[in-house]
Amino acid sequence: MSDLIDELQWRGLVKQHTDLEALRAALNEGSVTFYCGFDPTAASLHHGHLVQLIMMRHLQLAGHHPIALVGGATGLIGDPRMTAERQLQDKETVSEWVEKLKIQIGKFLDFDGANPARMVNNRDWTEPLSAIDLLRDLGKHFRMGTMLAKDAVARRLKSEEGISYTEFSYQILQANDFLQLYRKYGATLETGGNDQWGNLVGGMDLIRKVEGADVHVMTTPLITKSDGTKFGKSEGGAIWLDPEMLSPYAFYQFWLNVEDADVIHFLKVFTFMSREEIEDLERQTAENPGARAAQKALAEAVTALVHGAEETSRVKAASAALFGSGDLREVNGDTLVAATADLPHAPVKIGETTILDLLVTSGLEKGVGAAKRTIASGGAYINNEKVADEGRVVTQDDVLPGKVVLFRRGKRLLGVGRTN
């Protein structure tokens, strides 16, 4: 295997770091215990967290010991955002989210073997802290000038809303996490997104002041598209890992629709494909971009990583079936409902609704005349079967799993009829 740092840099997974050569030496010389924190600010992790989980997996595969920290304490406080104060969640909600995140994280790391992962909750050591302990044992090691200079803090101080003492104190709690994990498990590396750089350095400085030891921090870049815009389903939208918050079909389709300019970069960041495999896909994209070989490989790899091979097979089958390359009746009902959730739709009354009604009501055609011309020219379909009769009604036999009926105008314009 190539040098781990070189590999991570080639994949675009390294942004900022402390002494890189010292870190390289430590990772090459033996097994390093490292950690990454995940705050339960929602019921699911998203694409940004996925980058961290992939980084952790790379490190574990190279023989290092991961600690996944779920912030049951820091999640009650909230890391300062650049824009406005976070809405605090009640303790019961945060506790529920902690358990959900633990399950999601557990799918990416190996908790057995020679270098098993460990899961911890910072509420275990933060909750027993008294106010006096916090101020005497931790607060005395932090300087106001440094705390005020943090990007998020400085920006919020200039805003009309300002920043609460609650969020201002977050950096002390995260720094203490690194100290506690250093003391208890010998953690000497913290990883995180680049927006966490100041917090990571705060933990490193605290360990140096309290323990006289040198440790490392390393961040991943914040992922953006090639045009500089935010990475997500919509501007600023999250690609949730929880199938209840974003269906596996929608998740798969997101990756399948990545632009050519971004796909090779995303293959490096979000998959474990080899250099040779990615370089071959890069060549195929350059020679025949219409085949979208790289996008298909990306969508399959990331969906399998997050949702498993079986679910990936289901969504691929659904994707093919929607456009006539498979049997719609073989598609799982939940998958079919999710796959058609955002399509133009029309209500269906069995034995009454016609193909003409479906095309017009859904908006696939602008009017009755246009719909009739489409049907007459052979461009209308129900469940991928061509319909030549404008009076053709939807029957019970047309109803697919999930109680839907699929109809299509031409090769690509899809609509869904709902029977309830």
Side-chain angles (χ1 to χ4, degrees):
M1 191 184 78
S2 65
D3 177 85
L4 178 58
I5 292 293
D6 288 345
E7 175 72 11
L8 295 175
Q9 287 181 319
W10 176 79
R11 290 184 175 275
L13 285 170
V14 178
K15 180 64 173 179
Q16 295 191 79
H17 47 75
T18 45
D19 188 331
L20 188 62
E21 293 312 309
L23 177 57
R24 186 194 304 273
L27 292 171
N28 288 338
E29 288 170 3
S31 185
V32 168
T33 298
F34 68 96
Y35 97 93
C36 183
F38 302 86
D39 273 350
T41 54
S44 173
L45 301 175
H46 56 64
H47 59 278
H49 301 114
L50 181 57
V51 178
Q52 306 314 315
L53 291 166
I54 288 172
M55 167 67 90
M56 295 182 78
R57 186 62 179 155
H58 277 297
L59 289 166
Q60 185 176 34
L61 289 172
H64 305 292
H65 289 267
I67 300 174
L69 182 150
V70 182
T74 43
L76 289 166
I77 301 303
D79 188 14
R81 296 185 297 181
M82 293 289 187
T83 52
E85 197 85 3
R86 291 183 184 274
Q87 180 179 348
L88 296 181
Q89 302 294 332
D90 60 70
K91 291 184 178 181
E92 291 73 21
T93 298
V94 172
S95 294
E96 290 175 7
W97 290 353
V98 163
E99 296 308 313
K100 289 186 177 183
L101 265 57
K102 283 182 178 179
I103 293 171
Q104 288 186 333
I105 293 168
K107 297 176 182 178
F108 292 86
L109 302 173
D110 183 2
F111 290 82
D112 300 304
N115 56 320
R118 186 186 303 273
M119 190 91 69
V120 298
N121 184 342
N122 61 15
R123 191 168 176 175
D124 293 343
W125 57 79
T126 305
E127 198 164 51
L129 271 177
S130 70
I132 296 299
D133 293 336
L134 176 68
L135 294 173
R136 282 180 55 86
D137 299 339
L138 295 175
K140 67 179 180 180
H141 298 294
F142 289 81
R143 294 294 173 263
M144 289 296 295
T146 303
M147 295 177 73
L148 291 168
K150 298 286 176 65
D151 287 345
V153 174
R155 184 175 298 188
R156 288 278 295 281
L157 284 172
K158 294 177 182 178
S159 71
E160 186 175 329
E161 183 174 355
I163 185 170
S164 69
Y165 183 75
T166 300
E167 288 196 2
F168 178 68
S169 303
Y170 179 95
Q171 54 190 294
I172 297 178
L173 298 183
Q174 184 169 332
N176 185 49
D177 289 342
F178 201 174
L179 175 62
Q180 295 300 319
L181 295 177
Y182 171 82
R183 286 173 169 171
K184 192 168 185 178
Y185 303 113
T188 55
L189 169 64
E190 181 181 4
T191 65
N194 199 52
D195 57 340
Q196 291 293 307
W197 174 254
N199 290 333
L200 271 62
V201 170
M204 179 188 71
D205 290 341
L206 180 62
I207 291 172
R208 186 179 67 250
K209 291 174 181 177
V210 174
E211 299 292 339
D214 291 325
V215 293
H216 301 281
V217 298
M218 179 169 61
T219 65
T220 59
L222 301 182
I223 305 300
T224 59
K225 295 187 287 187
S226 58
D227 61 7
T229 58
K230 291 181 180 180
F231 174 87
K233 183 172 64 171
S234 58
E235 189 67 18
I239 307 302
W240 299 108
L241 307 191
D242 188 326
E244 294 183 2
M245 295 177 67
L246 183 68
S247 74
Y249 180 85
F251 185 88
Y252 176 86
Q253 289 296 321
F254 170 80
W255 301 100
L256 192 62
N257 290 312
V258 162
E259 298 290 340
D260 289 347
D262 296 313
V263 67
I264 301 304
H265 174 52
F266 292 169
L267 280 166
K268 293 177 182 179
V269 171
F270 290 103
T271 80
F272 292 88
M273 290 183 182
S274 68
R275 293 194 187 204
E276 292 75 19
E277 290 172 312
I278 293 174
E279 287 169 355
D280 181 55
L281 287 167
E282 186 172 20
R283 177 189 57 76
Q284 291 183 53
T285 299
E287 293 177 355
N288 185 13
R292 301 184 70 75
Q295 283 87 346
K296 292 175 183 176
L298 175 68
E300 182 169 359
V302 184
T303 307
L305 180 67
V306 173
H307 296 296
E310 185 176 340
E311 190 63 55
T312 302
S313 295
R314 280 198 286 264
V315 299
K316 285 179 65 181
S319 185
L322 287 180
F323 294 99
S325 300
D327 187 352
L328 285 166
R329 297 186 183 281
E330 295 297 321
V331 179
N332 172 274
D334 290 341
T335 302
L336 195 53
V337 169
T340 58
D342 296 325
L343 293 179
H345 61 275
V348 171
K349 289 186 178 181
I350 301 300
E352 296 182 23
T353 303
T354 66
I355 181 62
L356 200 63
D357 297 327
L358 294 175
L359 291 173
V360 175
T361 305
S362 66
L364 288 191
E365 285 292 6
K366 293 182 179 179
V368 172
K372 287 183 176 181
R373 287 191 292 274
T374 294
I375 297 167
S377 64
Y381 300 79
I382 290 180
N383 296 339
N384 291 330
E385 294 181 2
K386 188 176 293 187
V387 177
D389 178 8
E390 65 186 51
R392 158 77 151 87
V393 297
V394 177
T395 69
Q396 190 61 48
D397 289 342
D398 295 319
V399 180
L400 300 170
K403 298 181 179 179
V404 300
V405 177
L406 192 71
F407 55 94
R408 177 158 48 95
R409 172 194 155 204
K411 293 182 178 180
R412 307 294 296 179
L413 293 178
L414 292 169
V416 62
R418 306 194 190 283
T419 60
N420 58 355

